[in-house]
Amino acid sequence: MDNHWTERPLEERIEAAGHRAFVGGSNAETWYGLGKLQYQMLVERGLRPEHRFLDVACGSLRLGQFLIPYLDAERYVGLDISRELIDAGLEHELRDAVVEMKKPSFIVTDCFDLGDMAPFDMALAQSLFTHLTLDDIGVCAERLRAATHPDSVFLFTFFRGNPSNNPVGPSDPNANWLYGFDDIAARFEATGWRVND
């Protein structure tokens, strides 16, 4: 990887890495395996076809390729910063007939702006908070909270550890942040979420 990797336009970086590897699927086994594992976990947690699902940082649809066919029409919403990644997922990971029948929708935003989206029943942010500052995690918590109902569930992952050595500067998909559970929980609870470990 060259020293100017992060300075290159996003579409160039996606093309160079490939739409799967760019979001953490270095080979087909990893790509499909992680997507299927996430899908199974969500179904075990109670996701049903009639539920409205928000895929936060949906990328090139590693999870979406399983959820879009499973959910009823117009029940999948993908949120990502990159239209290029979403388009690559739609082109390479789903049949056109599935997209036409299930009618997934997508929101492209760099600030978690959901507009007037109907409340979601369940959401997942897989491997997103590992690349975000605590302030940006707080923005995500606040913006998503506005699109919930009393029984909405938001599942997310993060790297546990001592934050004293975290990067200095803005959120970065090529850097990793560590947090204690209490730090994450405090940001969510400040916006009205109830957090369970």
Side-chain angles (χ1 to χ4, degrees):
M1 191 179 301
D2 64 59
N3 293 334
H4 302 290
W5 176 252
T6 58
E7 297 172 9
R8 294 167 63 186
L10 184 60
E11 56 272 9
E12 286 184 21
R13 289 187 279 150
I14 294 167
E15 185 175 343
H19 72 279
R20 290 179 179 174
F22 190 84
V23 298
S26 56
N27 58 54
E29 184 177 351
T30 301
W31 171 259
Y32 291 116
L34 287 173
K36 190 172 185 180
L37 186 67
Q38 293 169 34
Y39 164 75
Q40 290 171 333
M41 181 271 298
L42 290 166
V43 172
E44 288 170 4
R45 294 278 185 127
L47 183 66
R48 298 293 173 256
E50 65 273 14
H51 287 162
R52 179 176 298 282
F53 183 83
L54 177 62
D55 192 354
V56 184
C58 65
S60 48
L61 309 183
R62 182 175 61 192
L63 172 60
Q65 66 184 317
F66 295 100
L67 277 190
I68 291 169
Y70 171 75
L71 294 170
D72 291 344
E74 300 181 12
R75 304 309 278 178
Y76 175 94
V77 179
L79 173 78
D80 204 87
I81 195 171
S82 169
R83 170 50 71 180
E84 292 81 10
L85 276 175
I86 294 168
D87 288 346
L90 289 170
E91 179 180 351
H92 299 289
E93 305 303 336
L94 287 167
R95 295 178 184 266
D96 290 344
V98 171
V99 175
E100 186 176 326
M101 181 175 65
K102 295 295 185 167
K103 297 178 175 55
S105 59
F106 298 93
I107 299 169
V108 178
T109 177
D110 63 357
C111 61
F112 305 103
D113 182 2
L114 299 176
D116 59 354
M117 190 186 101
F120 63 81
D121 299 297
M122 189 177 286
L124 175 69
Q126 174 74 37
S127 300
L128 172 63
F129 294 170
T130 55
H131 306 299
L132 297 186
T133 65
L134 201 52
D135 286 344
D136 285 344
I137 291 171
V139 170
C140 178
E142 181 179 2
R143 299 265 168 86
L144 267 64
R145 184 71 178 128
T148 63
H149 56 68
D151 295 322
S152 295
V153 174
F154 179 28
L155 305 167
F156 57 84
T157 62
F158 66 96
F159 288 149
R160 285 187 190 233
N162 185 342
S164 61
N165 293 322
N166 278 345
V168 175
S171 297
D172 184 339
N174 298 299
N176 293 322
W177 275 261
L178 304 175
Y179 298 109
F181 174 77
D182 291 344
D183 296 325
I184 297 282
R187 289 297 170 123
F188 272 80
E189 289 169 352
T191 63
W193 290 96
R194 187 178 70 250
V195 182
N196 299 315
D197 193 359

